[in-house]
Amino acid sequence: MKTTSVLGVILLLAASASAQSARSADELIAAINAVPQPQADQSKFGDEAYKASLERDVATYRRTIAPLLEELATKHPGHPESETAAVQWLSGLIGDEAEIPAVRKKAAAFVAAHPNTPAANGVQALRLQLLFGDRTLTYADGKATLDSIGADLGPDRASYDLTVVELATDLDPARRVELLKAVNAPPQVAPFVPGKIRRIESIGKPVELTFDDVLGGKKISLTDYAGQPVIIDFWATWCPPCVAEIPNVKAAYARLRDKGLAVIGVSLDLPGAKPAVTRLLMQREVTWPNFYQGAGVNSPFSTAWGINTLPAYMVIDKQGNLAGSYPHFKEALAAAEKMLQ
């Protein structure tokens, strides 16, 4: 009987791996396209068992194509399809927000290894998204990332500088204000800078807001909620992360409403979008009051508080004073929930 040595097995495996690594871009694309994609039936979204089954199918699909996407991106970074492949591959590595810092490092390493390629171009855009989703972001890290992306930022660099200053977790209020004032903001962003500074310097000071609820027209004022913490949720129908957060806001509101939590939505939708706003609120069964400002990102109330990126949240304490502002609902909820204890 003929036997195969351990060394022989290793050589066979190495040869197999080498053959796989030598696959052409077209072969990899064909392999990716050959994997059947899960088909969602929206009429069954109310069925929890169906949703769980669909989620499992999607997870299996992603695991199956992940090595193919990685191979296409890393072995053929100059191929036009590698741009999408690289973004899908790296995005698929994020199971939850805690994994964003590690994926940011992998994305930076990929760009360094494959400069000036279609794949790198796609990953540069992804790096910006990941940067602003990283809850551990420091000012030095954010600035270094923007510097490394460099010319790809174009004339928007100053806008990104402002966002880094806002999101950095290691800046005290005085330093944050100093840096905001130092940014040479472009004309489309400059009107928001005073409001950004105001949000920092107004902690502990009263916030005034009166409006007609977009659903029903009832007059609403922050003074109606004296003795209750209020989360002001800045959102828009055109903002996918805002819409995706609605179920989480609904769950928190249902759990804590009887304990005193209040929520007010402030829409940054465009002029003429009121029907779309009311339709979405009704479809999602939103029951807290909503302020349709009607002038997009240039709406007076949100501009006065420097809100030009969404979603965004302000928390008002039981005395009607600004307690803090947050880029993520979880953080705003945690701050408001402490006031209910």
Side-chain angles (χ1 to χ4, degrees):
M1 179 181 292
K2 185 177 180 180
T3 60
T4 302
S5 67
V6 173
L7 177 60
V9 171
I10 293 175
L11 290 174
L12 285 172
L13 291 173
S16 175
S18 176
Q20 281 196 341
S21 66
R23 285 184 290 188
S24 70
D26 289 341
E27 288 174 327
L28 289 165
I29 293 169
I32 293 168
N33 291 335
V35 180
Q37 297 186 37
Q39 300 299 313
D41 184 347
Q42 294 187 0
S43 67
K44 296 182 180 180
F45 278 7
D47 183 339
E48 293 301 321
Y50 172 78
K51 288 171 62 177
S53 175
L54 179 62
E55 288 174 0
R56 289 192 295 270
D57 290 345
V58 170
T60 299
Y61 171 74
R62 287 176 175 171
R63 284 196 301 271
T64 303
I65 68 169
L68 299 171
L69 293 171
E70 180 180 5
E71 187 175 346
L72 177 58
T74 56
K75 301 300 183 182
H76 306 281
H79 192 280
E81 294 294 328
S82 69
E83 180 173 351
T84 300
V87 172
Q88 287 183 328
W89 161 53
L90 290 167
S91 299
L93 299 177
I94 303 172
D96 57 50
E97 293 171 343
E99 294 173 310
I100 289 179
V103 176
R104 284 184 59 213
K105 292 180 181 178
K106 186 177 288 289
F110 180 89
V111 171
H114 308 286
N116 304 315
T117 61
N121 292 339
V123 173
Q124 290 288 51
L126 177 64
R127 290 180 70 198
L128 279 176
Q129 296 177 30
L130 297 178
L131 177 69
F132 300 136
D134 187 349
R135 299 192 185 189
T136 67
L137 182 69
T138 64
Y139 176 66
D141 177 19
K143 190 173 184 302
T145 299
L146 295 181
D147 288 343
S148 70
I149 296 175
D152 289 341
L153 295 173
D156 293 326
R157 171 60 193 261
S159 298
Y160 292 126
D161 284 333
L162 282 173
T163 305
V164 166
V165 173
E166 284 193 274
L167 298 182
T169 59
D170 60 337
L171 297 176
D172 61 45
R175 177 60 173 156
R176 203 181 300 274
V177 168
E178 178 186 356
L179 290 170
L180 285 172
K181 290 180 177 179
V183 174
N184 184 21
Q188 68 271 25
V189 177
F192 299 96
V193 175
K196 295 178 185 297
I197 294 172
R198 180 188 182 194
R199 264 189 285 139
I200 298 169
E201 298 181 334
S202 294
I203 299 296
K205 297 179 181 179
V207 175
E208 296 181 357
L209 174 60
T210 301
F211 63 96
D212 294 331
D213 185 5
V214 72
L215 293 179
K218 181 181 177 181
K219 182 72 69 177
I220 303 293
S221 173
L222 269 179
T223 57
D224 299 336
Y225 301 99
Q228 298 176 251
V230 181
I231 297 177
I232 299 179
D233 176 0
F234 295 91
W235 71 287
T237 58
W238 47 259
C239 166
C242 302
V243 176
E245 199 70 71
I246 289 177
N248 297 323
V249 181
K250 283 181 65 176
Y253 188 55
R255 179 171 60 89
L256 297 171
R257 180 179 183 179
D258 290 343
K259 294 183 179 180
L261 178 68
V263 178
I264 291 175
V266 176
S267 161
L268 276 71
D269 280 279
L270 297 170
K274 186 175 181 179
V277 172
T278 56
R279 182 167 56 251
L280 185 144
L281 293 174
M282 293 176 69
Q283 289 174 344
R284 299 303 179 101
E285 299 180 333
V286 171
T287 56
W288 55 87
N290 267 268
F291 177 21
Y292 167 67
Q293 300 179 98
V297 295
N298 296 313
S299 298
F301 178 75
S302 51
T303 298
W305 289 101
I307 305 295
N308 66 323
T309 56
L310 298 176
Y313 306 89
M314 287 168 49
V315 175
I316 312 303
D317 66 20
K318 294 181 178 182
Q319 291 72 45
N321 300 320
L322 180 62
S325 61
Y326 307 90
H328 307 288
F329 177 69
K330 286 183 180 179
E331 298 163 351
L333 178 61
E337 198 164 1
K338 285 181 181 179
M339 301 176 193
L340 298 173
Q341 297 173 354

